[in-house]
Every structure is written in structure tokens, then in C-alpha cells.
Amino acid sequence: MMLFTEVRGLPVTVPDRAGPLGTVTCLTVDVASGAVSHVRLRGGRFRGETVLPWDAVRAIGPEGVRAGSADAVGTAPPCHDLLDRRVLTEAGTEQGTVLDVAFDTGTGRLLALFTTRGEVPADRLLGLGDHAAVVRTG
């Protein structure tokens, strides 16, 4: 298990390259599967943001993210960062703000959302948009 905040800023490396491809800016979540779908990263000073599909991640830990190949890195599609996102129930009731997210480093599966109002099981996440993350009530 690891937290999203622990992954931010980690280097992304590949076996066939001397230096890092970039550093992690955030993790993209696929709400339907309840898992991380991409690792978003930023390269050098003037490079734009790119993404590494989760299935190209070979290992992830406190030292960094290791990818199988630099060829897997692609253009970053638009996404919504789950961290610092407002949390609402499906009825529109305010449930705080996402402080962190726990996930399984082997599968990318979300385990829990930690909000300003406590822990929310990841299986209650229904949606993620411009305005908020939507969760199912109890």
C-alpha cells in the first residue's frame, strides 16, 4: 500500500535510459474500475505533461516508479486530480475534501480516500469531475 502524496515528485525511470523520464505530478484514476489508470509525469523544464499507462509500470516504491520502456510514455489526456478535490454525496451533501488516497502498488486498485471528514472506502467512489468527487452514502 502507498499514498498518492508519497508518489508525487518521485522519479520515473526505465532500464534502458540513464536518467529519469521525469517526475510524477499525479495519478489518474479510472472511477469505473476503481484503480489508477495512468501515472502523470513532467519531464525537463520546458516539457509538457505526459502519461505512463498503469500496465507499463513495473515497480513503484519510495525510491521511484520504474517503467518497462520509454516507448509507453504518451501524450497526457485531460484528467481530474483526486487530491484536494471536494467530496459530495450523490445527493449533493458536502463530505469534506480529499487529503490523500491509499492504493495497492501491485494492482493500482484504490483502497481508501482520506478526507477532512474521515476515511471513505474506495468502493464508494462514484464519479470524479471538474467540481467534485462524488461518493455513495454509507
Side-chain angles (χ1 to χ4, degrees):
M1 180 194 82
M2 205 165 179
L3 299 172
F4 277 26
T5 56
E6 294 174 323
V7 178
R8 275 188 176 171
L10 289 178
V12 178
T13 60
V14 291
D16 57 344
R17 185 176 165 138
L21 295 174
T23 57
V24 177
T25 57
C26 72
L27 299 175
T28 301
V29 171
D30 175 43
V31 174
S33 68
V36 175
S37 63
H38 294 86
V39 175
R40 300 178 77 83
L41 58 131
R42 184 167 301 278
R45 184 173 161 185
F46 297 106
R47 291 188 193 162
E49 194 170 61
T50 56
V51 295
L52 177 68
W54 183 259
D55 60 3
V57 172
R58 298 298 173 251
I60 187 167
E63 301 82 31
V65 176
R66 190 175 64 218
S69 167
D71 295 336
V73 174
T75 305
C79 85
H80 304 289
D81 192 351
L82 193 50
L83 293 179
D84 300 321
R85 185 71 49 193
R86 183 175 172 199
V87 180
L88 300 174
T89 66
E90 70 266 61
T93 306
E94 178 78 33
Q95 293 295 306
T97 303
V98 177
L99 298 172
D100 218 334
V101 180
F103 72 104
D104 182 304
T105 57
T107 63
R109 188 175 58 87
L110 303 183
L111 302 173
L113 283 67
F114 301 105
T115 74
T116 53
R117 294 203 180 165
E119 184 176 331
V120 176
D123 62 357
R124 288 182 39 203
L125 182 63
L126 296 174
L128 179 61
D130 289 335
H131 185 64
V134 179
V135 296
R136 186 176 53 253
T137 52

